[in-house]
Amino acid sequence: MKKPSFYNENDVTKLYTPRYDEIMSEAAEFIKNYNIQAASHDRKKVAMFGIDAQIGFCTPGASLYVPGADKDVNRAIQFIYENIDKITELHYSLDTHYAYQVFHPTFWVDSEGNHPSAYTIITYDDIKNGKWMPSVHPVYVEDYVKQLESQGKYSLCIWPFHTMLGSIDHALVPALFEASLFHSIVRKVPVRFETKGQHALTENYSVMAPEVKQLLKNTDKELNVGQYNTKFFKALMNNDIVIIWGEAASHCVKYTIEDLINQIKTVDPSLIDKIVVFKDCMSPVIHPVIDFVSITENALKSFEQEGIKVINSTDFKF
C-alpha cells in the first residue's frame, strides 16, 4: 500500500508541529482510492500497542534517548502505513513525570546537601547508612527501596529529568503522531493514550502496574500508591491480536509484558496466544554498569518460552 506523500523516513528524528491539513487531505484521498472500511467492521481485531514512544526516549539528544530508538520508531511507522487497513486500534502509553519523584535527583541529598548524579544506584543500605537521604517521606521511601530489593527488582536508579508533563519530550515522536492521526482518520477510530508514572513515591516501568503498590506508614498502615490497570488490560485483550513494541526494551517494555503474562495466567492462559512482540521495534537502555542488553535478550527468550511470538515486524503475517 502506498505511503502518504507527507511521510519521509528522515523526519523521524525531527521535531515539528503536525501537518494537520495535509494529513486530513491525504486521508480522504486514501479512503477513496483504497476503499478502506472503518475499523469497527474488522472481523479480526488487531491492536498495536506502542510503549513510551516519546521524544524523551526516541529522539537523539533527548535526556533519556535510547540508542536505536529512532530506527525502531521508523520501522513501526512503516508497519502502520503498510498495514493501515488491517490495524484496528493504536494504543500508546505515555511516561509522565514531575520534578520531585523518587527516581529524580531532586528527591535525594547527601550529608552536604548535594543531589546524586544521573544513573546513581541507591540501595537500602545507602539509606540506612545515611549516604543518601530523601528530601520528603523518609519512612515511605525506606520501605519502598527495601521492597524493591526483596522482590528482586532493579535497585532504585536515579534518572535524569525526562518526559515531564508539559514538556516537549513528553509527546509522541512527531512522525509517529502523524502516522497515528492518519490511521485514526482513515479507519475512523480514535488513537488511545494511557499515562503512567505520575506517583511521587514509586517507579512505574510497567504500563500495567507500579513497581510497588503499597507502602508502610509509621503506624503500620498502608499507603496505596497504585494498583493493576485492569481497565487497560481488558481493552487490549478485547482484540484478537495485540502487537507490542516501544522503549525501552530493558525496562518499560520488559516489565509491561511480564505484568501482562502474570495477569493472563490468572485470568485465562489461552490469552497468551494473542500477544506478539516486535523485537526490531525496541532497544535496551545502555548503562555504564548494568548489562541491560543481556537482560533484554534473556527476557525475550523467556517470553517465547511463555508462548509469546517474538518476531521482526517484517516477518509478521496477518
Side-chain angles (χ1 to χ4, degrees):
M1 191 170 290
K2 183 181 177 182
K3 298 181 180 67
S5 62
F6 60 79
Y7 167 70
N8 185 323
E9 64 179 26
N10 295 321
D11 287 345
V12 76
T13 59
K14 297 178 181 178
L15 302 182
Y16 58 92
T17 55
R19 294 166 285 193
Y20 292 124
D21 290 342
E22 291 180 55
I23 295 168
M24 280 289 295
S25 176
E26 292 211 37
E29 288 297 315
F30 215 79
I31 295 170
K32 184 189 302 181
N33 293 338
Y34 291 102
N35 193 29
I36 298 176
Q37 65 179 0
S40 59
H41 295 145
D42 287 356
R43 292 183 177 179
K44 178 183 285 187
K45 297 179 66 177
V46 179
M48 195 169 176
F49 172 27
I51 297 173
D52 299 1
Q54 297 160 267
I55 291 170
F57 301 116
C58 303
T59 302
S63 63
L64 263 184
Y65 169 64
V66 179
D70 47 321
K71 296 179 178 62
D72 299 334
V73 171
N74 202 40
R75 284 186 280 269
I77 289 172
Q78 293 192 44
F79 185 86
I80 292 171
Y81 283 135
E82 291 168 1
N83 300 284
I84 199 165
D85 59 328
K86 302 180 186 71
I87 301 169
T88 310
E89 299 177 348
L90 294 177
H91 293 261
Y92 295 101
S93 64
L94 295 174
D95 205 32
T96 306
H97 298 313
Y98 305 101
Y100 290 91
Q101 294 192 262
V102 70
F103 44 80
H104 278 157
T106 44
F107 201 92
W108 298 89
V109 293
D110 62 15
S111 59
E112 298 180 355
N114 300 310
H115 297 297
S117 59
Y119 307 109
T120 297
I121 301 298
I122 295 180
T123 66
Y124 179 68
D125 285 342
D126 289 337
I127 300 172
K128 295 297 288 183
N129 296 334
K131 181 177 180 179
W132 294 111
M133 295 169 285
S135 55
V136 293
H137 305 303
V139 176
Y140 292 128
V141 174
E142 184 176 313
D143 181 55
Y144 176 73
V145 175
K146 185 177 182 180
Q147 284 196 55
L148 281 182
E149 295 180 5
S150 66
Q151 293 174 18
K153 299 200 171 191
Y154 294 147
S155 295
L156 176 64
C157 179
I158 302 303
W159 300 102
F161 287 139
H162 62 283
T163 62
M164 297 177 73
L165 186 63
S167 68
I168 190 171
D169 70 332
H170 181 261
L172 282 186
V173 170
L176 177 63
F177 176 84
E178 289 190 326
S180 303
L181 179 59
F182 187 76
H183 173 275
S184 177
I185 298 169
V186 170
R187 300 305 314 278
K188 297 179 175 61
V189 62
V191 183
R192 305 176 192 279
F193 293 98
E194 195 74 21
T195 60
K196 53 98 171 174
Q198 295 99 317
H199 202 289
L201 296 178
T202 179
E203 296 153 287
N204 215 137
Y205 294 130
S206 169
V207 183
M208 308 312 299
E211 293 303 285
V212 171
K213 299 181 182 67
Q214 301 285 347
L215 295 176
L216 296 177
K217 294 183 179 180
N218 278 323
T219 56
D220 289 334
K221 293 182 179 179
E222 291 185 329
L223 174 67
N224 185 335
V225 292
Q227 295 300 313
Y228 194 89
N229 193 339
T230 54
K231 183 178 179 180
F232 185 49
F233 175 81
K234 290 177 181 178
L236 289 178
M237 292 302 118
N238 193 39
N239 293 278
D240 298 300
I241 300 173
V242 180
I243 299 169
I244 299 175
W245 69 281
E247 308 301 338
S250 52
H251 288 75
C252 298
V253 175
K254 174 180 179 290
Y255 277 130
T256 297
I257 295 173
E258 288 175 349
D259 276 348
L260 280 172
I261 290 171
N262 290 334
Q263 185 72 357
I264 284 171
K265 287 180 176 178
T266 300
V267 174
D268 179 359
S270 69
L271 295 176
I272 202 73
D273 295 335
K274 296 186 175 189
I275 308 297
V276 178
V277 174
F278 280 178
K279 63 182 179 180
D280 63 334
C281 294
M282 61 179 67
S283 297
V285 166
I286 303 300
H287 192 275
V289 177
I290 304 172
D291 184 6
F292 287 124
V293 174
S294 294
I295 289 172
T296 300
E297 291 172 351
N298 291 333
L300 292 176
K301 290 177 183 176
S302 71
F303 299 156
E304 288 183 305
Q305 291 170 356
E306 294 285 353
I308 289 176
K309 302 176 189 69
V310 179
I311 61 174
N312 288 329
S313 59
T314 50
D315 295 329
F316 181 80
K317 305 297 181 185
F318 283 90

